[in-house]
Amino acid sequence: MTRRKLAAGNWKMNGTTADLSEIDALASAQPDPTAEVLICPPATLLAAMSAATQGTAIATGGQDCHAQGSGAHTGDISAAMLKDAGASYVILGHSERRADHGETDADVRAKATAAIGAGLGAIVCVGETLAQREAETTLDVIGTQLAGSIPDGVTGDTVVIAYEPVWAIGTGLTPTLAQIGEVHDFIRAELTKRFGDTGGAIRLLYGGSVKPANAAEIFATSNVDGALVGGASLKAAEFSAIIDAANAA
Ligand code: 13P
């Protein structure tokens, strides 16, 4: 099963219109990437970034969506609104949303169902805390998150899984390649158990302190189909170097 590498940037709560220049620079640096390239800016920039990336190889996505299509939910954004603003993906269940907004696996699953229904690819995040890794419950935690967060009936076209150890996010710390491979192999096995052959088509991203210096070795690790990149996606030169590693993988 060949799975096209996906280099996805999560800008989190960073960026204003001035930063759209980074997208122009990225498009110039990556006119025809082998890997799929995605940037998920804050919602305020989504429409402008989608317009700026028209005709380039860069796709755009949201960082969250509501499970309902519309209604009285002040401050929230529906999947259809993201799609209307040019998104093709949405990140769901990021550990920062699970921690800051109390999102549960059931919430993430409902959001993923809504996203897929609106025609977006759902990038569903899972990952253990440092305490869970030290207690050697990592695979149990990931298994529970997967079972609870991924809707039935997904395919390689509708869902992507991002493994992001909470303790590796924004810290400069990364698991060993063996630890990344162990979790990715486990996720692959769980998906295959649940979805059969389709489980082999779903892409698995690693996220947490991915940088130009470690991207190639991470992309060469078992069942790693790309990366979800935070800090290093904000600057075109740095993210382009990560995309280069994905193109070569
Ligand atoms: P960093 O790459 O900044 O560690 O962030 C990872 C992340 O949370 C991407 O979603």
Side-chain angles (χ1 to χ4, degrees):
M1 182 85 61
T2 44
R3 295 178 298 263
R4 188 179 178 201
K5 290 276 190 291
L6 172 58
N10 175 7
W11 277 21
K12 307 191 180 185
M13 198 171 72
N14 296 292
T16 59
T17 47
D19 299 294
L20 292 172
S21 60
E22 295 297 329
I23 292 303
D24 295 336
L26 186 65
S28 301
Q30 295 289 339
D32 191 19
T34 313
E36 188 176 356
V37 178
L38 171 69
I39 300 278
C40 298
T44 48
L45 281 184
L46 185 55
M49 191 181 289
S50 299
T53 54
Q54 277 288 330
T56 75
I58 304 168
T60 61
Q63 298 177 8
D64 175 50
C65 71
H66 197 277
Q68 303 294 316
S70 63
H73 301 287
T74 301
D76 280 314
I77 297 173
S78 74
M81 291 168 180
L82 295 176
K83 178 91 178 159
D84 182 57
S88 35
Y89 287 92
V90 59
I91 298 168
L92 296 171
H94 191 282
S95 61
E96 287 151 14
R97 291 209 61 87
R98 291 178 186 261
D100 294 353
H101 300 274
E103 289 190 10
T104 64
D105 290 335
D107 293 332
V108 176
R109 184 186 185 116
K111 289 174 179 215
T113 300
I116 294 165
L120 297 175
I123 301 176
V124 176
C125 303
V126 297
E128 83 286 1
T129 62
L130 186 57
Q132 289 164 336
R133 177 156 287 275
E134 286 173 351
E136 298 182 7
T137 57
T138 295
L139 298 185
D140 291 341
V141 167
I142 304 290
T144 300
Q145 289 175 334
L146 283 176
S149 303
I150 310 296
D152 291 332
V154 298
T155 69
D157 292 329
T158 58
V159 79
V160 173
I161 315 279
Y163 167 55
E164 299 206 314
V166 177
W167 53 274
I169 295 174
T171 58
L173 302 173
T174 53
T176 65
L177 297 175
Q179 287 172 326
I180 294 173
E182 179 191 29
V183 174
H184 280 239
D185 288 352
F186 171 77
I187 295 172
R188 178 72 61 213
E190 292 292 292
L191 293 174
T192 302
K193 222 187 296 173
R194 183 168 165 195
F195 299 112
D197 287 348
T198 297
I202 295 172
R203 290 180 292 182
L204 312 184
L205 310 184
Y206 168 77
S209 299
V210 176
K211 307 288 177 202
N214 61 16
E217 62 185 17
I218 290 171
F219 292 144
T221 300
S222 177
N223 276 308
V224 174
D225 303 311
L228 183 55
V229 183
S233 73
L234 294 172
K235 293 291 170 205
E238 219 178 344
F239 194 46
S240 186
I242 291 170
I243 297 167
D244 283 339
N247 290 339

